[in-house]
Amino acid sequence: MKSEELQRLTASEPLTLEQEYAMQHSWREDADKCTFIVLDAEKWQAQPAATEESCMVGDVNLFLTDRGDPSLGEIEVMIAEPSCRGKGFGTEAVLMMLSYGGCEHCLPGGDAQTDDE
């Protein structure tokens, strides 16, 4: 991630290409993480030749935070494309991840907390 704004908003540090590949490998292999890429469906449908990459607007991540208690987790969402912020992409992505986590990982409902709390 090279955008200074996104690094600031996500409290992320710039990574080398090697570090990026290692992180991607970790996401693919670790049983305590799940990520969905958020696409702009309207753009995807309106432009038949559009690639998935050109329709990407962000991601949503699920982390199981306690191996001893798989009912504990954390969700993070990032809408990286500024023109797509405030349009419900993040809300929809989080709701889909909660549904997926509940179905696939047997996560019970729980309290939600934002970084502002």
Side-chain angles (χ1 to χ4, degrees):
M1 175 180 352
K2 294 186 185 228
S3 165
E4 289 183 16
E5 178 190 15
L6 288 179
Q7 288 173 12
R8 181 183 57 77
L9 291 172
T10 61
S12 300
E13 296 292 326
L15 302 175
T16 66
L17 186 57
E18 185 175 288
Q19 290 169 321
E20 289 280 1
Y21 280 128
M23 185 183 304
Q24 288 178 13
H25 178 76
S26 166
W27 277 98
R28 191 172 47 250
E29 301 299 322
D30 291 353
D32 60 351
K33 299 175 188 166
C34 180
T35 189
F36 292 156
I37 302 300
V38 180
L39 300 178
D40 182 341
E42 287 183 14
K43 183 176 180 182
W44 176 260
Q45 294 167 350
Q47 301 174 7
T51 63
E52 290 176 347
E53 291 83 2
S54 70
C55 297
M56 289 173 50
V57 299
D59 61 36
V60 61
N61 305 294
L62 172 66
F63 303 94
L64 300 180
T65 55
D66 184 342
R67 292 185 189 269
D69 185 353
S71 68
L72 297 176
E74 176 180 320
I75 291 181
E76 295 178 351
V77 63
M78 175 183 64
I79 302 302
E81 178 56 46
S83 66
C84 293
R85 295 178 190 156
K87 296 185 176 181
F89 286 97
T91 300
E92 184 176 3
V94 167
L95 291 173
M96 290 177 70
M97 183 60 84
L98 286 170
S99 177
Y100 176 81
C103 294
E104 296 296 320
H105 296 287
C106 303
L107 298 175
D111 294 330
Q113 181 176 358
T114 66
D115 284 343
D116 296 335
E117 295 179 1

mmCIF file of all heavy atoms in Angstrom, residues 34-77:
data_model
loop_
_atom_site.group_PDB
_atom_site.id
_atom_site.type_symbol
_atom_site.label_atom_id
_atom_site.label_comp_id
_atom_site.label_asym_id
_atom_site.label_seq_id
_atom_site.Cartn_x
_atom_site.Cartn_y
_atom_site.Cartn_z
ATOM 1 N N CYS A 34 -9.664 -14.316 7.596
ATOM 2 C CA CYS A 34 -10.442 -14.407 6.358
ATOM 3 C C CYS A 34 -10.550 -13.004 5.789
ATOM 4 O O CYS A 34 -10.738 -12.036 6.529
ATOM 5 C CB CYS A 34 -11.831 -14.964 6.663
ATOM 6 S SG CYS A 34 -12.871 -15.121 5.204
ATOM 7 N N THR A 35 -10.434 -12.894 4.485
ATOM 8 C CA THR A 35 -10.590 -11.581 3.858
ATOM 9 C C THR A 35 -11.473 -11.705 2.622
ATOM 10 O O THR A 35 -11.437 -12.716 1.918
ATOM 11 C CB THR A 35 -9.220 -10.968 3.487
ATOM 12 O OG1 THR A 35 -9.415 -9.614 3.085
ATOM 13 C CG2 THR A 35 -8.532 -11.711 2.372
ATOM 14 N N PHE A 36 -12.285 -10.703 2.413
ATOM 15 C CA PHE A 36 -13.068 -10.561 1.189
ATOM 16 C C PHE A 36 -12.621 -9.258 0.533
ATOM 17 O O PHE A 36 -12.425 -8.247 1.216
ATOM 18 C CB PHE A 36 -14.568 -10.442 1.454
ATOM 19 C CG PHE A 36 -15.234 -11.678 1.981
ATOM 20 C CD1 PHE A 36 -16.406 -11.563 2.702
ATOM 21 C CD2 PHE A 36 -14.722 -12.944 1.758
ATOM 22 C CE1 PHE A 36 -17.052 -12.692 3.189
ATOM 23 C CE2 PHE A 36 -15.358 -14.079 2.231
ATOM 24 C CZ PHE A 36 -16.535 -13.949 2.960
ATOM 25 N N ILE A 37 -12.489 -9.277 -0.767
ATOM 26 C CA ILE A 37 -12.216 -8.069 -1.533
ATOM 27 C C ILE A 37 -13.554 -7.439 -1.893
ATOM 28 O O ILE A 37 -14.474 -8.123 -2.332
ATOM 29 C CB ILE A 37 -11.409 -8.386 -2.813
ATOM 30 C CG1 ILE A 37 -10.092 -9.083 -2.466
ATOM 31 C CG2 ILE A 37 -11.176 -7.119 -3.633
ATOM 32 C CD1 ILE A 37 -9.168 -8.277 -1.585
ATOM 33 N N VAL A 38 -13.682 -6.148 -1.698
ATOM 34 C CA VAL A 38 -14.919 -5.427 -1.991
ATOM 35 C C VAL A 38 -14.824 -4.865 -3.400
ATOM 36 O O VAL A 38 -13.882 -4.142 -3.731
ATOM 37 C CB VAL A 38 -15.138 -4.288 -0.966
ATOM 38 C CG1 VAL A 38 -16.434 -3.539 -1.278
ATOM 39 C CG2 VAL A 38 -15.147 -4.831 0.461
ATOM 40 N N LEU A 39 -15.802 -5.234 -4.233
ATOM 41 C CA LEU A 39 -15.868 -4.753 -5.610
ATOM 42 C C LEU A 39 -17.060 -3.817 -5.781
ATOM 43 O O LEU A 39 -18.069 -3.960 -5.095
ATOM 44 C CB LEU A 39 -16.029 -5.919 -6.591
ATOM 45 C CG LEU A 39 -14.943 -6.981 -6.615
ATOM 46 C CD1 LEU A 39 -15.298 -8.072 -7.621
ATOM 47 C CD2 LEU A 39 -13.595 -6.389 -6.920
ATOM 48 N N ASP A 40 -16.952 -2.903 -6.708
ATOM 49 C CA ASP A 40 -18.057 -2.038 -7.093
ATOM 50 C C ASP A 40 -18.884 -2.798 -8.122
ATOM 51 O O ASP A 40 -18.515 -2.874 -9.305
ATOM 52 C CB ASP A 40 -17.513 -0.730 -7.665
ATOM 53 C CG ASP A 40 -18.606 0.247 -8.058
ATOM 54 O OD1 ASP A 40 -19.775 -0.168 -8.239
ATOM 55 O OD2 ASP A 40 -18.285 1.444 -8.197
ATOM 56 N N ALA A 41 -19.999 -3.382 -7.690
ATOM 57 C CA ALA A 41 -20.822 -4.224 -8.564
ATOM 58 C C ALA A 41 -21.413 -3.441 -9.730
ATOM 59 O O ALA A 41 -21.519 -3.959 -10.839
ATOM 60 C CB ALA A 41 -21.938 -4.890 -7.758
ATOM 61 N N GLU A 42 -21.781 -2.186 -9.488
ATOM 62 C CA GLU A 42 -22.343 -1.371 -10.578
ATOM 63 C C GLU A 42 -21.309 -1.171 -11.679
ATOM 64 O O GLU A 42 -21.623 -1.278 -12.866
ATOM 65 C CB GLU A 42 -22.843 -0.032 -10.055
ATOM 66 C CG GLU A 42 -24.114 -0.139 -9.254
ATOM 67 C CD GLU A 42 -24.631 1.213 -8.804
ATOM 68 O OE1 GLU A 42 -24.177 2.263 -9.322
ATOM 69 O OE2 GLU A 42 -25.508 1.227 -7.929
ATOM 70 N N LYS A 43 -20.085 -0.882 -11.301
ATOM 71 C CA LYS A 43 -19.020 -0.711 -12.290
ATOM 72 C C LYS A 43 -18.780 -2.025 -13.028
ATOM 73 O O LYS A 43 -18.604 -2.047 -14.241
ATOM 74 C CB LYS A 43 -17.736 -0.241 -11.603
ATOM 75 C CG LYS A 43 -16.599 0.043 -12.547
ATOM 76 C CD LYS A 43 -15.392 0.597 -11.804
ATOM 77 C CE LYS A 43 -14.245 0.889 -12.744
ATOM 78 N NZ LYS A 43 -13.061 1.384 -12.023
ATOM 79 N N TRP A 44 -18.759 -3.121 -12.298
ATOM 80 C CA TRP A 44 -18.539 -4.454 -12.876
ATOM 81 C C TRP A 44 -19.613 -4.770 -13.921
ATOM 82 O O TRP A 44 -19.322 -5.261 -15.003
ATOM 83 C CB TRP A 44 -18.547 -5.485 -11.755
ATOM 84 C CG TRP A 44 -18.426 -6.901 -12.180
ATOM 85 C CD1 TRP A 44 -19.437 -7.809 -12.307
ATOM 86 C CD2 TRP A 44 -17.232 -7.611 -12.544
ATOM 87 N NE1 TRP A 44 -18.946 -9.020 -12.710
ATOM 88 C CE2 TRP A 44 -17.596 -8.920 -12.860
ATOM 89 C CE3 TRP A 44 -15.893 -7.232 -12.616
ATOM 90 C CZ2 TRP A 44 -16.670 -9.871 -13.255
ATOM 91 C CZ3 TRP A 44 -14.974 -8.182 -12.997
ATOM 92 C CH2 TRP A 44 -15.363 -9.484 -13.311
ATOM 93 N N GLN A 45 -20.878 -4.474 -13.594
ATOM 94 C CA GLN A 45 -21.990 -4.783 -14.495
ATOM 95 C C GLN A 45 -22.085 -3.801 -15.654
ATOM 96 O O GLN A 45 -22.480 -4.177 -16.759
ATOM 97 C CB GLN A 45 -23.304 -4.813 -13.717
ATOM 98 C CG GLN A 45 -23.352 -5.951 -12.723
ATOM 99 C CD GLN A 45 -24.474 -5.836 -11.716
ATOM 100 O OE1 GLN A 45 -25.136 -4.798 -11.617
ATOM 101 N NE2 GLN A 45 -24.689 -6.890 -10.950
ATOM 102 N N ALA A 46 -21.709 -2.552 -15.421
ATOM 103 C CA ALA A 46 -21.830 -1.523 -16.462
ATOM 104 C C ALA A 46 -20.742 -1.621 -17.515
ATOM 105 O O ALA A 46 -20.927 -1.152 -18.643
ATOM 106 C CB ALA A 46 -21.809 -0.132 -15.827
ATOM 107 N N GLN A 47 -19.615 -2.209 -17.165
ATOM 108 C CA GLN A 47 -18.484 -2.304 -18.086
ATOM 109 C C GLN A 47 -18.124 -3.775 -18.268
ATOM 110 O O GLN A 47 -17.286 -4.304 -17.530
ATOM 111 C CB GLN A 47 -17.285 -1.526 -17.546
ATOM 112 C CG GLN A 47 -17.571 -0.064 -17.331
ATOM 113 C CD GLN A 47 -16.404 0.655 -16.664
ATOM 114 O OE1 GLN A 47 -15.334 0.106 -16.465
ATOM 115 N NE2 GLN A 47 -16.622 1.909 -16.314
ATOM 116 N N PRO A 48 -18.722 -4.451 -19.239
ATOM 117 C CA PRO A 48 -18.497 -5.888 -19.412
ATOM 118 C C PRO A 48 -17.025 -6.283 -19.571
ATOM 119 O O PRO A 48 -16.641 -7.377 -19.198
ATOM 120 C CB PRO A 48 -19.275 -6.231 -20.674
ATOM 121 C CG PRO A 48 -20.287 -5.143 -20.813
ATOM 122 C CD PRO A 48 -19.672 -3.917 -20.202
ATOM 123 N N ALA A 49 -16.200 -5.396 -20.072
ATOM 124 C CA ALA A 49 -14.784 -5.726 -20.258
ATOM 125 C C ALA A 49 -13.933 -5.369 -19.038
ATOM 126 O O ALA A 49 -12.723 -5.589 -19.037
ATOM 127 C CB ALA A 49 -14.243 -5.006 -21.490
ATOM 128 N N ALA A 50 -14.568 -4.836 -17.992
ATOM 129 C CA ALA A 50 -13.818 -4.426 -16.805
ATOM 130 C C ALA A 50 -13.219 -5.639 -16.100
ATOM 131 O O ALA A 50 -13.831 -6.699 -16.028
ATOM 132 C CB ALA A 50 -14.730 -3.669 -15.843
ATOM 133 N N THR A 51 -12.017 -5.469 -15.591
ATOM 134 C CA THR A 51 -11.384 -6.536 -14.817
ATOM 135 C C THR A 51 -11.806 -6.399 -13.353
ATOM 136 O O THR A 51 -12.215 -5.326 -12.914
ATOM 137 C CB THR A 51 -9.848 -6.448 -14.894
ATOM 138 O OG1 THR A 51 -9.436 -5.211 -14.289
ATOM 139 C CG2 THR A 51 -9.366 -6.521 -16.334
ATOM 140 N N GLU A 52 -11.681 -7.488 -12.617
ATOM 141 C CA GLU A 52 -11.980 -7.419 -11.186
ATOM 142 C C GLU A 52 -11.104 -6.380 -10.510
ATOM 143 O O GLU A 52 -11.570 -5.624 -9.653
ATOM 144 C CB GLU A 52 -11.765 -8.785 -10.529
ATOM 145 C CG GLU A 52 -12.797 -9.810 -10.930
ATOM 146 C CD GLU A 52 -12.527 -11.182 -10.352
ATOM 147 O OE1 GLU A 52 -11.421 -11.418 -9.831
ATOM 148 O OE2 GLU A 52 -13.431 -12.013 -10.419
ATOM 149 N N GLU A 53 -9.822 -6.346 -10.896
ATOM 150 C CA GLU A 53 -8.898 -5.405 -10.280
ATOM 151 C C GLU A 53 -9.351 -3.956 -10.456
ATOM 152 O O GLU A 53 -9.205 -3.139 -9.554
ATOM 153 C CB GLU A 53 -7.473 -5.570 -10.836
ATOM 154 C CG GLU A 53 -6.805 -6.862 -10.441
ATOM 155 C CD GLU A 53 -7.176 -8.051 -11.323
ATOM 156 O OE1 GLU A 53 -7.953 -7.884 -12.300
ATOM 157 O OE2 GLU A 53 -6.702 -9.152 -11.033
ATOM 158 N N SER A 54 -9.912 -3.639 -11.617
ATOM 159 C CA SER A 54 -10.334 -2.261 -11.866
ATOM 160 C C SER A 54 -11.607 -1.898 -11.104
ATOM 161 O O SER A 54 -11.951 -0.728 -10.998
ATOM 162 C CB SER A 54 -10.532 -2.018 -13.363
ATOM 163 O OG SER A 54 -11.668 -2.719 -13.843
ATOM 164 N N CYS A 55 -12.301 -2.898 -10.557
ATOM 165 C CA CYS A 55 -13.533 -2.667 -9.808
ATOM 166 C C CYS A 55 -13.331 -2.770 -8.295
ATOM 167 O O CYS A 55 -14.270 -2.577 -7.531
ATOM 168 C CB CYS A 55 -14.607 -3.669 -10.240
ATOM 169 S SG CYS A 55 -15.071 -3.491 -11.970
ATOM 170 N N MET A 56 -12.098 -3.067 -7.866
ATOM 171 C CA MET A 56 -11.815 -3.191 -6.438
ATOM 172 C C MET A 56 -11.915 -1.833 -5.755
ATOM 173 O O MET A 56 -11.399 -0.842 -6.264
ATOM 174 C CB MET A 56 -10.409 -3.761 -6.216
ATOM 175 C CG MET A 56 -10.286 -5.208 -6.582
ATOM 176 S SD MET A 56 -8.595 -5.855 -6.533
ATOM 177 C CE MET A 56 -8.026 -5.319 -4.946
ATOM 178 N N VAL A 57 -12.601 -1.815 -4.601
ATOM 179 C CA VAL A 57 -12.714 -0.570 -3.840
ATOM 180 C C VAL A 57 -12.185 -0.710 -2.411
ATOM 181 O O VAL A 57 -11.991 0.289 -1.731
ATOM 182 C CB VAL A 57 -14.160 -0.034 -3.827
ATOM 183 C CG1 VAL A 57 -14.633 0.267 -5.241
ATOM 184 C CG2 VAL A 57 -15.111 -0.970 -3.130
ATOM 185 N N GLY A 58 -11.957 -1.930 -1.944
ATOM 186 C CA GLY A 58 -11.452 -2.109 -0.586
ATOM 187 C C GLY A 58 -11.468 -3.564 -0.169
ATOM 188 O O GLY A 58 -11.515 -4.462 -1.004
ATOM 189 N N ASP A 59 -11.449 -3.772 1.145
ATOM 190 C CA ASP A 59 -11.509 -5.143 1.664
ATOM 191 C C ASP A 59 -12.115 -5.147 3.055
ATOM 192 O O ASP A 59 -12.241 -4.111 3.708
ATOM 193 C CB ASP A 59 -10.137 -5.812 1.668
ATOM 194 C CG ASP A 59 -9.094 -5.118 2.522
ATOM 195 O OD1 ASP A 59 -9.443 -4.588 3.597
ATOM 196 O OD2 ASP A 59 -7.919 -5.102 2.143
ATOM 197 N N VAL A 60 -12.531 -6.343 3.471
ATOM 198 C CA VAL A 60 -13.042 -6.564 4.816
ATOM 199 C C VAL A 60 -12.363 -7.818 5.339
ATOM 200 O O VAL A 60 -12.160 -8.782 4.597
ATOM 201 C CB VAL A 60 -14.584 -6.669 4.831
ATOM 202 C CG1 VAL A 60 -15.089 -7.822 3.984
ATOM 203 C CG2 VAL A 60 -15.118 -6.795 6.252
ATOM 204 N N ASN A 61 -11.950 -7.775 6.601
ATOM 205 C CA ASN A 61 -11.169 -8.865 7.191
ATOM 206 C C ASN A 61 -11.798 -9.339 8.484
ATOM 207 O O ASN A 61 -12.278 -8.535 9.279
ATOM 208 C CB ASN A 61 -9.748 -8.390 7.493
ATOM 209 C CG ASN A 61 -9.090 -7.810 6.270
ATOM 210 O OD1 ASN A 61 -8.830 -8.504 5.305
ATOM 211 N ND2 ASN A 61 -8.832 -6.509 6.296
ATOM 212 N N LEU A 62 -11.749 -10.639 8.697
ATOM 213 C CA LEU A 62 -12.194 -11.260 9.940
ATOM 214 C C LEU A 62 -10.993 -11.915 10.587
ATOM 215 O O LEU A 62 -10.270 -12.678 9.930
ATOM 216 C CB LEU A 62 -13.266 -12.316 9.660
ATOM 217 C CG LEU A 62 -13.701 -13.193 10.834
ATOM 218 C CD1 LEU A 62 -14.416 -12.357 11.889
ATOM 219 C CD2 LEU A 62 -14.601 -14.317 10.351
ATOM 220 N N PHE A 63 -10.757 -11.602 11.853
ATOM 221 C CA PHE A 63 -9.685 -12.213 12.629
ATOM 222 C C PHE A 63 -10.310 -12.939 13.807
ATOM 223 O O PHE A 63 -11.103 -12.346 14.542
ATOM 224 C CB PHE A 63 -8.736 -11.152 13.210
ATOM 225 C CG PHE A 63 -8.112 -10.249 12.197
ATOM 226 C CD1 PHE A 63 -8.683 -9.031 11.891
ATOM 227 C CD2 PHE A 63 -6.934 -10.615 11.561
ATOM 228 C CE1 PHE A 63 -8.095 -8.184 10.973
ATOM 229 C CE2 PHE A 63 -6.335 -9.769 10.633
ATOM 230 C CZ PHE A 63 -6.922 -8.557 10.343
ATOM 231 N N LEU A 64 -9.962 -14.198 14.002
ATOM 232 C CA LEU A 64 -10.334 -14.897 15.227
ATOM 233 C C LEU A 64 -9.232 -14.580 16.220
ATOM 234 O O LEU A 64 -8.070 -14.908 15.990
ATOM 235 C CB LEU A 64 -10.465 -16.400 14.975
ATOM 236 C CG LEU A 64 -11.521 -16.773 13.931
ATOM 237 C CD1 LEU A 64 -11.579 -18.275 13.738
ATOM 238 C CD2 LEU A 64 -12.883 -16.225 14.315
ATOM 239 N N THR A 65 -9.590 -13.921 17.316
ATOM 240 C CA THR A 65 -8.576 -13.341 18.200
ATOM 241 C C THR A 65 -8.155 -14.237 19.355
ATOM 242 O O THR A 65 -7.207 -13.908 20.062
ATOM 243 C CB THR A 65 -9.072 -11.992 18.758
ATOM 244 O OG1 THR A 65 -10.340 -12.198 19.395
ATOM 245 C CG2 THR A 65 -9.220 -10.969 17.642
ATOM 246 N N ASP A 66 -8.852 -15.350 19.576
ATOM 247 C CA ASP A 66 -8.518 -16.238 20.696
ATOM 248 C C ASP A 66 -8.681 -17.678 20.223
ATOM 249 O O ASP A 66 -9.800 -18.161 20.068
ATOM 250 C CB ASP A 66 -9.435 -15.941 21.881
ATOM 251 C CG ASP A 66 -9.110 -16.741 23.121
ATOM 252 O OD1 ASP A 66 -8.411 -17.778 23.018
ATOM 253 O OD2 ASP A 66 -9.567 -16.340 24.203
ATOM 254 N N ARG A 67 -7.571 -18.360 19.995
ATOM 255 C CA ARG A 67 -7.633 -19.744 19.508
ATOM 256 C C ARG A 67 -8.414 -20.654 20.451
ATOM 257 O O ARG A 67 -9.015 -21.620 20.030
ATOM 258 C CB ARG A 67 -6.234 -20.290 19.288
ATOM 259 C CG ARG A 67 -5.496 -19.643 18.139
ATOM 260 C CD ARG A 67 -4.150 -20.336 17.917
ATOM 261 N NE ARG A 67 -3.333 -19.608 16.980
ATOM 262 C CZ ARG A 67 -3.336 -19.844 15.665
ATOM 263 N NH1 ARG A 67 -4.092 -20.762 15.166
ATOM 264 N NH2 ARG A 67 -2.544 -19.127 14.880
ATOM 265 N N GLY A 68 -8.416 -20.324 21.724
ATOM 266 C CA GLY A 68 -9.148 -21.120 22.700
ATOM 267 C C GLY A 68 -10.648 -20.865 22.686
ATOM 268 O O GLY A 68 -11.420 -21.684 23.180
ATOM 269 N N ASP A 69 -11.052 -19.738 22.134
ATOM 270 C CA ASP A 69 -12.472 -19.384 22.078
ATOM 271 C C ASP A 69 -12.787 -18.834 20.695
ATOM 272 O O ASP A 69 -12.660 -17.642 20.440
ATOM 273 C CB ASP A 69 -12.797 -18.344 23.151
ATOM 274 C CG ASP A 69 -14.286 -18.019 23.211
ATOM 275 O OD1 ASP A 69 -15.053 -18.501 22.338
ATOM 276 O OD2 ASP A 69 -14.686 -17.264 24.110
ATOM 277 N N PRO A 70 -13.203 -19.722 19.778
ATOM 278 C CA PRO A 70 -13.452 -19.276 18.401
ATOM 279 C C PRO A 70 -14.663 -18.361 18.251
ATOM 280 O O PRO A 70 -14.960 -17.908 17.163
ATOM 281 C CB PRO A 70 -13.650 -20.580 17.635
ATOM 282 C CG PRO A 70 -14.078 -21.564 18.664
ATOM 283 C CD PRO A 70 -13.419 -21.143 19.952
ATOM 284 N N SER A 71 -15.339 -18.056 19.353
ATOM 285 C CA SER A 71 -16.463 -17.126 19.261
ATOM 286 C C SER A 71 -15.998 -15.675 19.369
ATOM 287 O O SER A 71 -16.798 -14.761 19.217
ATOM 288 C CB SER A 71 -17.496 -17.423 20.350
ATOM 289 O OG SER A 71 -16.968 -17.114 21.629
ATOM 290 N N LEU A 72 -14.707 -15.460 19.638
ATOM 291 C CA LEU A 72 -14.175 -14.101 19.737
ATOM 292 C C LEU A 72 -13.479 -13.722 18.443
ATOM 293 O O LEU A 72 -12.641 -14.462 17.947
ATOM 294 C CB LEU A 72 -13.181 -13.998 20.896
ATOM 295 C CG LEU A 72 -13.744 -14.243 22.287
ATOM 296 C CD1 LEU A 72 -12.631 -14.197 23.317
ATOM 297 C CD2 LEU A 72 -14.828 -13.244 22.625
ATOM 298 N N GLY A 73 -13.830 -12.579 17.922
ATOM 299 C CA GLY A 73 -13.211 -12.152 16.675
ATOM 300 C C GLY A 73 -13.248 -10.650 16.521
ATOM 301 O O GLY A 73 -13.805 -9.920 17.341
ATOM 302 N N GLU A 74 -12.646 -10.209 15.442
ATOM 303 C CA GLU A 74 -12.546 -8.783 15.130
ATOM 304 C C GLU A 74 -12.762 -8.632 13.629
ATOM 305 O O GLU A 74 -12.284 -9.434 12.836
ATOM 306 C CB GLU A 74 -11.146 -8.318 15.512
ATOM 307 C CG GLU A 74 -10.828 -6.900 15.183
ATOM 308 C CD GLU A 74 -9.400 -6.545 15.598
ATOM 309 O OE1 GLU A 74 -8.951 -6.982 16.667
ATOM 310 O OE2 GLU A 74 -8.755 -5.836 14.805
ATOM 311 N N ILE A 75 -13.491 -7.608 13.242
ATOM 312 C CA ILE A 75 -13.704 -7.305 11.826
ATOM 313 C C ILE A 75 -13.129 -5.931 11.534
ATOM 314 O O ILE A 75 -13.303 -4.992 12.321
ATOM 315 C CB ILE A 75 -15.200 -7.331 11.454
ATOM 316 C CG1 ILE A 75 -15.725 -8.759 11.518
ATOM 317 C CG2 ILE A 75 -15.428 -6.754 10.066
ATOM 318 C CD1 ILE A 75 -17.179 -8.891 11.145
ATOM 319 N N GLU A 76 -12.427 -5.840 10.432
ATOM 320 C CA GLU A 76 -11.909 -4.559 9.953
ATOM 321 C C GLU A 76 -12.391 -4.369 8.523
ATOM 322 O O GLU A 76 -12.441 -5.327 7.750
ATOM 323 C CB GLU A 76 -10.382 -4.552 9.961
ATOM 324 C CG GLU A 76 -9.775 -4.661 11.327
ATOM 325 C CD GLU A 76 -8.254 -4.696 11.285
ATOM 326 O OE1 GLU A 76 -7.667 -4.809 10.202
ATOM 327 O OE2 GLU A 76 -7.671 -4.623 12.358
ATOM 328 N N VAL A 77 -12.711 -3.147 8.186
ATOM 329 C CA VAL A 77 -13.123 -2.838 6.817
ATOM 330 C C VAL A 77 -12.359 -1.605 6.354
ATOM 331 O O VAL A 77 -12.093 -0.699 7.140
ATOM 332 C CB VAL A 77 -14.650 -2.621 6.702
ATOM 333 C CG1 VAL A 77 -15.098 -1.424 7.507
ATOM 334 C CG2 VAL A 77 -15.088 -2.489 5.260
#
